Amino acid sequence: VQLQASGGGLVQAGGSLRLSCAASKRTVSNYVMGWFRQAPGKEREFVAAISWTGGSTNYADFVKGRFTISRDNAKNTVYLQMNSLKPEDTAVYYCAANPRELVRAPTYDYWGQGTQVTVSS
């Protein structure tokens, strides 16, 4: 599985961005998909994950009510809609795929290259 994340950029506080993660080389329709982020000098942290059916989602407390994860299995793509962005959301965002259960730990099998999100105050 190859994952390609896109959609990052520079946005003002309060703004929105939509990240996309396109999978190639094989379908991820039966994979759990997750988003993680890593800010400079900090460890990679869990942001959100979605089950392979899309029927179950899980969010980090700091993004609840602001971010929404979704997927389109027909397009082999997962999305992260980010609203009400804050400067502390600034990080490189990574998508990941896991053929097993939905977990928050960064133990996913496949990772994208990351996309930079910068939120200015």
Side-chain angles (χ1 to χ4, degrees), residues 8-116:
L10 174 64
V11 63
Q12 289 188 333
S16 298
L17 284 174
R18 188 195 195 202
L19 305 184
S20 298
C21 177
S24 61
K25 293 205 169 181
R26 69 176 297 172
T27 179
V28 291
S29 61
N30 56 345
Y31 281 63
V32 169
M33 300 297 294
W35 286 97
F36 292 78
R37 70 185 188 186
Q38 188 166 19
K42 295 187 177 181
E43 294 187 350
R44 190 168 298 189
E45 62 181 355
F46 171 79
V47 176
I50 187 168
S51 65
W52 66 274
T53 65
S56 179
T57 57
N58 194 288
Y59 295 93
D61 287 344
F62 53 78
V63 302
K64 281 183 179 177
R66 301 190 298 126
F67 291 11
T68 303
I69 188 171
S70 61
R71 68 189 299 161
D72 185 337
N73 285 339
K75 295 183 178 180
N76 228 21
T77 301
V78 64
Y79 305 96
L80 185 68
Q81 178 66 44
M82 305 187 295
N83 299 327
S84 302
L85 283 161
K86 305 175 182 180
E88 51 264 42
D89 293 320
T90 295
V92 177
Y93 283 71
Y94 298 89
C95 60
N98 177 11
R100 299 174 296 279
E101 68 277 8
L102 194 160
V103 295
R104 293 183 166 214
T107 56
Y108 287 51
D109 288 9
Y110 304 99
W111 292 83
Q113 85 292 355
T115 184
Q116 176 71 47

